[in-house]
Amino acid sequence: NIQQVIVDECGMCFEPETLVPITCARAKQVVLIGDHKQLQPIIKDNDAKRLGLEISMFERYAKKAIMLKEQYRMHAEICHFPSEQFYDKLLLTSATVALRTPSPVDFWPAQVLYGNDVPRVFCHVEGCEKSSVIKTQYSNQQSKSNEKEAKKAVHVAKVLVNKYAVNHGDVVILTPYRQQQVLIKEGLHAPYDDIQVSTIIKSQGSEWDYVILSLVRSLPKDEIEAEPSSKWLGDNLGFLRDEHQINVALTRARRGLCIIGNKNLVELDPTWSALLSHYEQSETIVDEAWPWN
């Protein structure tokens, strides 16, 4: 007889998926493990969403969950914003993180300007967003790309591996859009073609020393609404309005995080506005001339 059922990554599971092992095993105890602040079940049908299928069983019982408050992955300065924004300042960094061998990478703005150990940056790039169709096994789907951001992401990755001798496997380039993933991969010619490029959704559960995040969405400054409607934000920010994806993207890095995007556009979203304010306080917002050295 099965006494216990453990469901890992339960926050991503459809509720019926979670019910299958529970009901089939007739277990006496059920343990749900996950994070409802990160990726939810991926539901594309609007009726299914409206009826609540994107709410996992873990999320339904989240108020009864025991939070593991100490994290061992991120540098404390990378952890600070996600902890504040998504976890009510309860997510703390283990003292063991500070005992790691120091990172050789010293191009972070706060480090260059003030000698402060703040290994994160938002690099403002005003690129041109393009729409295209991605063919999948089941259908054709609209996706987005941004060539200027792709080139910047590739450049930063090359600086990490060439100047600082970072192992290729310790660097990842993340993006919300599959077409941007394709474009970045095309820019990583040998000997850089083994640097991983992934969508944010595929990255959940993984970690790397250095994460480069390309946000993709962009508009010319004169086309950005001063007081945008919710629909306008949805149309022009897309996945960047999904706090679950944002949280995943911001919490993959151990030693350094580089975000590349158009701050004039993304600051219209409350979460990105809060992040930019946080980064501005430590003077870690730069223009596309970065890296400087």
Side-chain angles (χ1 to χ4, degrees):
N1 293 332
I2 297 174
Q3 300 295 307
Q4 186 181 70
V5 168
I6 300 173
V7 185
D8 196 10
E9 290 290 359
C10 189
M12 282 191 70
C13 296
F14 302 120
E15 198 162 25
E17 287 180 321
T18 306
L19 285 169
V20 169
I22 294 172
T23 54
C24 289
R26 297 182 181 179
K28 295 181 179 179
Q29 185 181 60
V30 177
V31 179
L32 306 180
I33 302 172
D35 184 350
H36 63 294
K37 299 289 187 178
Q38 298 205 353
L39 293 184
Q40 293 178 297
I42 299 171
I43 308 293
K44 296 181 180 179
D45 184 86
N46 289 328
D47 288 335
K49 284 183 180 180
R50 180 175 54 81
L51 293 169
L53 195 58
E54 69 177 349
I55 305 299
S56 66
M57 181 178 288
F58 187 94
E59 186 167 353
R60 291 194 193 281
Y61 287 94
K63 289 183 179 179
K64 297 182 178 181
I66 298 171
M67 179 179 175
L68 303 179
K69 297 180 181 179
E70 194 169 19
Q71 66 88 18
Y72 299 83
R73 173 188 300 161
M74 296 172 279
H75 186 288
E77 286 291 342
I78 298 173
C79 178
H80 189 179
F81 177 77
S83 176
E84 190 173 82
Q85 185 71 19
F86 306 116
Y87 299 104
D88 299 322
K89 301 182 181 179
L90 296 175
L91 186 62
L92 306 175
T93 300
S94 168
T96 61
V97 172
L99 301 177
R100 293 174 182 160
T101 304
S103 167
V105 180
D106 62 1
F107 64 8
W108 309 107
Q111 192 167 1
V112 173
L113 296 173
Y114 308 109
N116 295 334
D117 184 18
V118 184
R120 51 175 166 75
V121 62
F122 187 104
C123 183
H124 172 60
V125 173
E126 294 185 32
C128 180
E129 170 192 314
K130 292 183 179 179
S131 298
S132 55
V133 175
I134 286 276
K135 291 184 178 180
T136 70
Q137 182 180 354
Y138 304 104
S139 64
N140 295 334
Q141 297 178 352
Q142 283 286 334
S143 191
K144 306 285 183 183
S145 63
N146 185 317
E147 186 176 4
K148 199 170 187 180
E149 282 193 22
K151 288 180 177 178
K152 174 59 71 174
V154 168
H155 173 65
V156 174
K158 288 181 177 179
V159 170
L160 285 169
V161 301
N162 290 336
K163 182 171 183 177
Y164 298 104
V166 174
N167 291 328
H168 291 201
D170 292 331
V171 180
V172 71
I173 303 175
L174 299 181
T175 178
Y177 291 95
R178 290 181 60 195
Q179 187 57 41
Q180 184 74 343
Q181 179 188 16
V182 170
L183 187 61
I184 292 169
K185 281 185 174 179
E186 289 174 351
L188 287 168
H189 307 294
Y192 307 103
D193 52 350
D194 58 345
I195 293 174
Q196 190 170 349
V197 186
S198 174
T199 60
I200 294 170
I201 286 175
K202 293 288 187 182
S203 76
Q204 176 148 318
S206 299
E207 58 184 76
W208 295 266
D209 279 356
Y210 302 96
V211 171
I212 303 161
L213 172 61
S214 171
L215 302 183
V216 180
R217 304 307 297 263
S218 189
L219 281 175
K221 200 166 186 178
D222 59 359
E223 293 182 21
I224 297 174
E225 296 280 346
E227 297 182 4
S229 65
S230 180
K231 182 181 184 305
W232 190 95
L233 288 171
D235 290 343
N236 290 283
L237 287 174
F239 292 135
L240 301 185
R241 298 208 73 200
D242 182 350
E243 285 195 348
H244 301 274
Q245 283 207 50
I246 297 170
N247 188 11
V248 171
L250 298 180
T251 54
R252 300 304 95 199
R254 289 187 288 254
R255 292 175 173 266
L257 172 63
C258 169
I259 305 170
I260 300 168
N262 184 336
K263 69 180 180 67
N264 298 328
L265 176 62
V266 301
E267 68 183 0
L268 297 176
D269 175 81
T271 302
W272 287 108
S273 177
L275 179 138
L276 288 166
S277 177
H278 181 75
Y279 277 41
E280 193 169 18
Q281 289 172 17
S282 55
E283 298 190 39
T284 51
I285 300 177
V286 296
D287 62 24
E288 58 192 72
W290 182 87
W292 303 313
N293 53 1

